[in-house]
Amino acid sequence: MSELTELTAVRLLDGYRGGEFSPVEVVRAALERAEEIQPEVNAFVRLFAEDALERAAASEERWRRGEPCGLLDGVPVTVKDILLLRGAPTLKGSRTIDPAAGRWDEDAPSVARLREHGAVFLGKTTTPEFGWKGVTDSPLSGVTRNPHDPTRTAGGSSGGAAAAVALGAGPLALGTDGGGSVRIPAAFCGIFALKPTYGRVPLYPASAFGTLAHVGPMTRDAADAALLMDVIGGPDSRDWSALGPASGSFREGLGGGVRGLRVAYSPSLGGQVRVRPEVAAAVRRAVERLAGLGAYVEETDPDFTDPVEAFHTLWFAGAARVTQHLTREQRERLDPGLREIRGAGARYSALEYLAAMDVRMALGRRMGRFHDRYDLLVTPTVPVTAFEAGVEVPKGAGHRRWTGWTPFTYPFNMTQQPAATVPVGVDGDGLPIGLQLVAARHRDDLVLRGAHALYGAGAGTSVEW
């Protein structure tokens, strides 16, 4: 049974099709794994064992008849507790949300598509309060820990989702990414994650953080992510900013490889980022593998200055907006860091917000021109590996906020480009290292192709548990 928790979604579906094992066996194994890891890692806010086994039994009967109801029939999946899931409260890591006050009778668009395709919901995963920072701890659910070393952070804000996938509690997870929030924990936990082009995966309700917020897959590899994107990437009338249908299947585009692609390799964004030597070396080796696979690689930089102040204006204003309705007493119960940035965000003027939008648009234009010359940009995902759990920034790093150690990720939320992280090795402590792939808007297919090629060349990490 433990071997079933190590399989990808693609492999599980092959097994169902061939009668090697059943959805009930797989879901039972995934639930057992989730219960096993929960005391030490704290990846879940709740599990749906009874409902999951009922859905698995129904899936098993459909497979027995040779009539699966969709692309993910019987595959276990987890959902970050930022996204609505019918029948379960969505508390967003906050003690200010009363689970008894909501009706909880609606699915988010991506969750609805999973339900339509027969996926089995194992549970909801942890998040920092309202998903505000790059690590996962909250006043509601406490600290989520790294599967490779529980004294270290899992990253965030989708840290619970990343830890669950890494440890076998379901091969698929839905996360949300506002500044790197699927890529950071995926890099720290040694899995794959994609932040799609903004609007490719519909989002409802709209995020208070505006168009910085994306919904993305967190998976064992790029092939599973492409499968998940084929399910969740369709339009939904509840999101007015959602894109139209994709031009084709993301799975069918995986096999194109990287031969002939023009790849820009920026190890430090033009010297702006201090990257830990072990991280830099692992990323460079992976870039050399891309070149060996036929990509035309050039070491160059997109040549933009750090847009952190503009990002802070947009992000902190979002934090003020998401907490605006709270009473003074409720605000006192917030995560202290969130309380601090929401205060700053409430003081920005409309002119300051629009000035930050000007920076964002200029950065988008620059990256648009950059991708006229290059198909993919490669950077480290994070310049460090996982640090101590329970803190927002590494001790002694001199950073005030989580954006200080995530300079490779949040710029591409501002530009709405697709970006993914691929595990490309471990440091001396056995902690995973991630490589980031970025493409022009609407070229999610190129990001997935590049990542799939790296998996074929030996990318990936494993967890001893």
Side-chain angles (χ1 to χ4, degrees):
M1 293 289 283
S2 63
E3 293 178 359
L4 295 177
T5 65
E6 300 171 5
L7 300 180
T8 66
V10 170
R11 179 67 183 88
L12 289 177
L13 290 165
D14 285 343
Y16 297 162
R17 197 171 293 113
E20 295 178 61
F21 38 78
S22 74
V24 169
E25 291 175 305
V26 168
V27 169
R28 184 175 289 118
L31 286 168
E32 290 174 359
R33 190 67 158 150
E35 291 170 354
E36 179 186 8
I37 68 174
Q38 181 61 14
E40 188 165 17
V41 176
N42 188 31
F44 291 91
V45 293
R46 63 189 59 84
L47 290 167
F48 311 131
E50 184 177 349
D51 181 71
L53 288 170
E54 288 179 2
R55 289 180 60 83
S59 172
E60 185 169 312
E61 176 60 22
R62 290 191 294 270
W63 280 106
R64 188 191 64 78
R65 298 195 309 264
E67 300 174 353
C69 70
L71 295 177
L72 295 175
D73 202 346
V75 176
V77 64
T78 64
V79 177
K80 183 180 179 181
D81 198 31
I82 291 287
L83 299 168
L84 295 178
L85 191 154
R86 191 174 74 219
T90 299
L91 303 182
K92 303 181 180 182
S94 182
R95 295 181 296 174
T96 68
I97 298 176
D98 182 358
R103 292 172 58 187
W104 315 118
D105 59 354
E106 191 171 20
D107 285 329
S110 51
V111 176
R113 302 294 88 75
L114 289 172
R115 193 183 298 276
E116 290 165 6
H117 280 263
V120 176
F121 301 113
L122 291 182
K124 300 202 81 176
T125 53
T126 53
T127 176
E129 194 163 24
F130 299 110
W132 80 271
K133 60 183 174 180
V135 294
T136 301
D137 58 73
S138 77
L140 182 68
S141 57
V143 177
T144 296
R145 300 178 179 277
N146 193 290
H148 295 262
D149 179 350
T151 69
R152 310 292 184 105
T153 180
S157 61
S158 303
V165 172
L167 288 170
L172 304 178
L174 284 183
T176 60
D177 191 314
S181 315
V182 298
R183 288 160 289 157
I184 295 163
F188 279 1
C189 293
I191 66 165
F192 180 81
L194 170 70
K195 177 189 75 69
T197 299
Y198 179 81
R200 172 49 55 212
V201 179
L203 179 61
Y204 170 84
S207 172
F209 295 99
T211 57
L212 294 172
H214 303 60
V215 178
M218 306 180 73
T219 60
R220 297 273 173 75
D221 59 21
D224 270 10
L227 170 63
L228 189 49
M229 284 295 294
D230 279 347
V231 171
I232 65 175
D236 190 289
S237 60
R238 293 173 291 174
D239 183 354
W240 65 269
S241 64
L243 300 175
S247 58
S249 166
F250 289 106
R251 287 171 296 157
E252 292 175 1
L254 284 178
V258 296
R259 182 169 298 280
L261 293 186
R262 300 161 298 168
V263 176
Y265 166 46
S266 179
S268 61
L269 293 180
Q272 295 184 82
V273 184
R274 183 179 179 182
V275 180
R276 186 171 294 175
E278 287 176 294
V279 173
V283 172
R284 184 174 291 275
R285 287 193 296 269
V287 170
E288 291 170 354
R289 291 202 292 273
L290 287 174
L293 293 168
Y296 298 113
V297 177
E298 178 182 349
E299 187 168 330
T300 187
D301 300 298
D303 192 27
F304 60 76
T305 55
D306 188 352
V308 68
E309 293 305 322
F311 180 82
H312 280 171
T313 299
L314 302 173
W315 193 252
F316 294 0
R321 177 61 177 160
V322 78
T323 57
Q324 185 180 28
H325 67 287
L326 300 179
T327 65
R328 182 186 297 273
E329 180 183 0
Q330 286 176 314
R331 290 173 188 169
E332 289 301 313
R333 301 173 68 192
L334 294 172
D335 180 319
L338 175 59
R339 191 165 61 243
E340 181 179 331
I341 70 163
R342 62 100 25 216
R347 293 189 290 271
Y348 291 129
S349 69
L351 288 177
E352 288 172 310
Y353 191 92
L354 291 173
M357 288 298 295
D358 286 341
V359 172
R360 182 180 191 180
M361 288 185 285
L363 179 60
R365 287 193 298 271
R366 179 174 292 277
M367 289 308 302
R369 291 193 296 268
F370 183 81
H371 284 289
D372 285 338
R373 303 191 303 276
Y374 300 101
D375 299 300
L376 291 170
L377 168 66
V378 175
T379 74
T381 306
V382 190
V384 297
T385 50
F387 49 87
E388 179 185 357
V391 297
E392 183 184 345
V393 299
K395 288 184 177 178
H399 303 308
R400 174 65 179 154
R401 298 263 76 101
W402 62 272
T403 45
W405 54 270
T406 61
F408 291 113
T409 56
Y410 59 76
F412 305 111
N413 288 72
M414 297 178 75
T415 60
Q416 303 188 348
Q417 294 171 248
T421 185
V422 181
V424 291
V426 295
D427 69 7
D429 294 322
L431 297 169
I433 295 167
L435 170 149
Q436 180 176 233
L437 293 163
V438 185
R441 291 176 72 241
H442 312 296
R443 293 312 309 266
D444 307 68
D445 60 315
L446 287 180
V447 172
L448 288 165
R449 273 174 57 189
H452 188 61
L454 278 172
Y455 274 98
T461 61
S462 60
V463 184
E464 295 295 332
W465 187 261

